[in-house]
Amino acid sequence: MSSAEAVDLNDWFSKWDIEAIPDLDDKVKECEFFFDALSTETDRNKFRWLVSAFLNAAYSFFESTALTAYYRFTDTESGELYEDQKGLEILKKHVKVFQKPSDPMFVTTAGLTPLTKQLYEFRKKSTHHFPLSIMATGTTLPEDFHFGSMQDQGVPVMPLCRDSLALIRAIYTEIND
């Protein structure tokens, strides 16, 4: 390396704000944050917005976990990145994982199990179609909030979010065990 190309490591490290780098469990914490907020919210609009944020955080957990699994490790000799086969195996029990052959950094996921399919479907509708429809089917809010607008055809929101969060925590723990 020529002196013109030499890197002053002290200067380089001094530019980093280490506190700005999120912890590995940041996406789990983000899901927990939105779940905690929605689990006490009784105002329908605020609840709907929090559910939308939770769905997006949950989706982002699966997407970022899949991308991380493909590039989790570095070969110490070659410097090449390689996949976490165990992590991908764990993740693929719950979501489909696709890596674009022409752009290996493009990794995406889709629901596989009934829970993740439902999670992805509600997230897709609220992100790409219309705001979520939330109805109150009783007086015990937020437990009696349901997705939908047709009486007796709604899907309870809290169990879906609660089960999704439990799954996210379990996957994170299993991968990072």
Side-chain angles (χ1 to χ4, degrees), residues 30-31 33-57 132 134 142 157 161:
E30 182 180 351
C31 293
F33 173 83
F34 287 116
F35 181 81
D36 288 347
L38 71 88
S39 67
T40 59
E41 186 57 63
T42 58
D43 177 275
R44 186 190 318 242
N45 282 328
K46 291 177 184 176
F47 180 81
R48 181 170 49 87
W49 300 329
L50 289 168
V51 170
S52 180
F54 174 82
L55 295 173
N56 280 310
L132 291 172
I134 300 287
V157 175
C161 293

Side-chain angles (χ1 to χ4, degrees), residues 2 12 20 22 25 44 47 55 66-67 71 79 90 114 118 127-128 139 143 150 156 159 168 172:
S2 73
W12 188 77
D25 64 348
R44 186 190 318 242
F47 180 81
L55 295 173
L67 181 62
Y71 299 100
I90 292 165
Q118 196 172 45
T127 302
H128 300 291
T139 58
E143 289 297 326
M150 299 289 293
I168 286 166
Y172 179 82

Side-chain angles (χ1 to χ4, degrees), residues 71-83:
Y71 299 100
R72 186 170 183 138
F73 301 119
T74 306
D75 183 288
T76 55
E77 292 183 21
S78 70
E80 293 292 316
L81 299 172
Y82 65 96
E83 66 188 40

